[in-house]
Each structure stands twice: as C-alpha cells, then as structure tokens.
C-alpha cells in the first residue's frame, strides 16, 4: 500500500510530515481565511491576492520570527503555500490547487 501512495505522489510523505506539526497545521488553516484570522493593520499587500506578511503571521502565532520562517519554509517545500516578496517582506498564501490535488490523492490511496 505504501508503494501505491508513494507512486501516486512522491511528495506526499513530505506533505504529511509538514502537516504533522500542530503549529504548521494551524498556520495553514488560518491562511485559508486571512481576513478573519490576522490583524492586517498596516498590511502593504492584499492578503487574499498576495498573501499574509510573515510579520503578521509571527504576531498571531507568538513565536520567534526565525521559527515562523522555518515553519513557513517547510510548508512551502511541501507545496502547500506560495511565497511572494513585496519589498523586503515575504508574504505567504495557500496553494489551493496543490492542496486540492493532495486531497484527491489521499482520497484515492487511503
């Protein structure tokens, strides 16, 4: 069975590993509705179109900036979020198409 899952999507293990951390899972959940979950006062880009600035994510989660950046990088490597630079700031947005593909893959293989 593991062979079938891996052959369907070789990155699936990386995705599941990224989602195994409860904070990363929570971050991904919050990014689904950024206007609802983040205080966007002073935002320099549209959170729906561009994503949420890492500083806003850090303020919400209450962890060190380096920890938040590492968590977001892990989600990005797994293909769950996309990063966009706006000036000196990095903004993160969910990759809804990739997430839908992963949900479909899980539905077929589990």
């Amino acid at each position: 069975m593991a062979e079938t899952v891996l052959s369907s999507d070789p990155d699936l293990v990386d995705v599941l590993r990224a989602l195994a951390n409860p904070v990363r899972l929570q971050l991904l959940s919050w990014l689904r509705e950024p206007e609802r979950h983040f205080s966007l006062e002073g935002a320099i880009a549209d959170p729906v179109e561009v994503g949420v600035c890492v500083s806003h994510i850090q303020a919400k989660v209450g962890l060190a900036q380096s920890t938040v950046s590492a968590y977001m990088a892990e989600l990005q490597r797994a293909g769950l979020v996309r990063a966009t630079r706006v000036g000196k700031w990095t903004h993160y947005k969910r990759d809804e198409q990739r997430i839908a593909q992963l949900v479909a893959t899980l539905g077929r293989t589990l």
Side-chain angles (χ1 to χ4, degrees):
M1 178 67 171
E3 215 173 276
T4 302
V5 172
L6 293 177
S7 64
S8 298
D9 189 336
D11 299 325
L12 191 57
V13 172
D14 292 335
V15 169
L16 294 173
R17 189 176 299 124
L19 295 176
N21 178 292
V23 175
R24 287 192 297 259
L25 185 60
Q26 182 65 67
L27 292 172
L28 192 63
S29 176
W30 287 337
L31 287 172
R32 186 174 194 165
E33 297 178 279
E35 320 87 350
R36 179 175 171 210
H37 295 288
F38 295 95
S39 170
L40 300 170
E41 186 175 319
I44 60 172
D46 182 351
V48 175
E49 292 298 318
V50 179
V52 178
C53 179
V54 72
S55 64
H56 289 103
I57 296 170
Q58 191 253 330
K60 168 88 174 175
V61 76
L63 296 172
Q65 187 272 334
S66 59
T67 302
V68 173
S69 290
Y71 283 172
M72 297 311 297
E74 182 72 23
L75 291 172
Q76 185 180 9
R77 279 190 299 276
L80 299 168
V81 298
R82 292 185 181 171
T84 303
R85 294 285 293 187
V86 179
K88 65 179 183 174
W89 304 104
T90 303
H91 291 68
Y92 290 96
K93 179 180 177 176
R94 288 168 47 113
D95 186 337
E96 297 297 344
Q97 183 178 3
R98 176 71 173 139
I99 292 169
Q101 290 171 345
L102 292 165
V103 169
T105 299
L106 284 172
R108 286 190 310 271
T109 57
L110 292 181

